[in-house]
Amino acid sequence: WTVMRDKLRKWREENFRNSEQIVEVGEELIHEHASKLGDDIWIIYEQVMIAALDCSRDDLALRCLHELRKQFPGSHRVKRLAGMRLEALERYDEACKLYDAILQDDPTNTAARKRKIAILKAQGKSTEAIKELNEYLEQFVGDQEAWHELAELYINEHDYAKAAFCLEELMMTNPHNHLYCEQYAEVKYTQGGIENLELSRKYFAQALKLNNRNMRALFGLYMVSTQVCAIVPQYGLQV
């Protein structure tokens, strides 16, 4: 059982989203060895419950939630898990009411606000999700996950100028993250025009400098360089 416990801990610490494996290992662990886990059992219940929701195992998720509710009856964290279960069942209105109750008690609860935005996204209400995310970022400007989510929403809406702004915010706080440089380069490439293409080329090159095994950035650099070489003679410029 210690091997299974350590596996779950490693996956938690490394933020792996391997839900099927977590369910397989976690279900056996909590069925057969719950009494041996001490206080670790509560974080394992939470981990297994989230994985169970990913795998449409509502029976397992409900069991984990029941145990957590018994141990922490008034916990906002447990209420948020209950809301996530309602989301998985597509009972979005009930989930929103639960998150609103959490926010009424604790207006600074960022997790509950993010879950409400996730519901809007799941319902295909991108405009409302963008509005909520912008309001959220006015209060929590340092939330990098939120900036990246907002960039993705803008990309889906083909609003590339605003997506580029979000990615610029991310690069200012994470200048050594090659994935942000690569995504920014892709947005600039999509926008087109000689100035954007030149910027795109620079950031694909920067992504490669930060991680020379980034094949997507390498291919992007090849594509944008080809475009620039084709366009530049039309303007009488030098590459």
Side-chain angles (χ1 to χ4, degrees), residues 79-146:
K79 287 178 184 176
R80 177 172 56 83
L81 290 171
M84 289 170 68
R85 176 176 173 265
L86 292 171
E87 286 181 61
L89 298 172
E90 298 186 3
R91 291 156 60 182
Y92 296 125
D93 290 342
E94 293 175 58
C96 274
K97 286 177 184 175
L98 194 51
Y99 297 141
D100 285 337
I102 294 170
L103 288 167
Q104 192 169 0
D105 289 343
D106 178 14
T108 63
N109 192 306
T110 58
R113 289 191 68 172
K114 284 181 178 181
R115 292 316 314 168
K116 288 189 70 178
I117 294 165
I119 288 173
L120 291 172
K121 190 178 174 185
Q123 292 176 313
K125 298 177 180 177
S126 296
T127 305
E128 290 92 332
I130 287 168
K131 180 176 177 288
E132 288 291 329
L133 257 180
N134 275 301
E135 289 177 4
Y136 171 85
L137 282 165
E138 284 176 11
Q139 292 182 271
F140 305 99
V141 71
D143 191 326
Q144 295 168 29
E145 185 184 61

Side-chain angles (χ1 to χ4, degrees), residues 10 31 50 60 67 78 96 107 109 129 176 179 201 204 212 215 219 233:
K10 182 184 177 187
H31 279 169
I50 292 169
L60 180 58
E67 295 295 335
V78 175
C96 274
N109 192 306
H176 301 297
L179 295 174
R201 185 170 63 164
F204 275 130
N212 59 15
M215 291 298 103
F219 184 69

Side-chain angles (χ1 to χ4, degrees), residues 30 42 44-50 52-53 57-73 75-86 89 98:
I30 61 180
W42 309 116
I44 288 170
Y45 274 134
E46 181 180 32
Q47 183 182 11
V48 172
M49 179 181 170
I50 292 169
L53 294 176
R57 283 288 310 278
D58 187 58
D59 58 320
L60 180 58
L62 193 57
R63 179 187 169 182
C64 294
L65 180 62
H66 179 67
E67 295 295 335
L68 288 165
R69 273 176 169 160
K70 280 200 301 184
Q71 181 68 16
F72 309 103
S75 166
H76 286 162
R77 188 163 170 173
V78 175
K79 287 178 184 176
R80 177 172 56 83
L81 290 171
M84 289 170 68
R85 176 176 173 265
L86 292 171
L89 298 172
L98 194 51

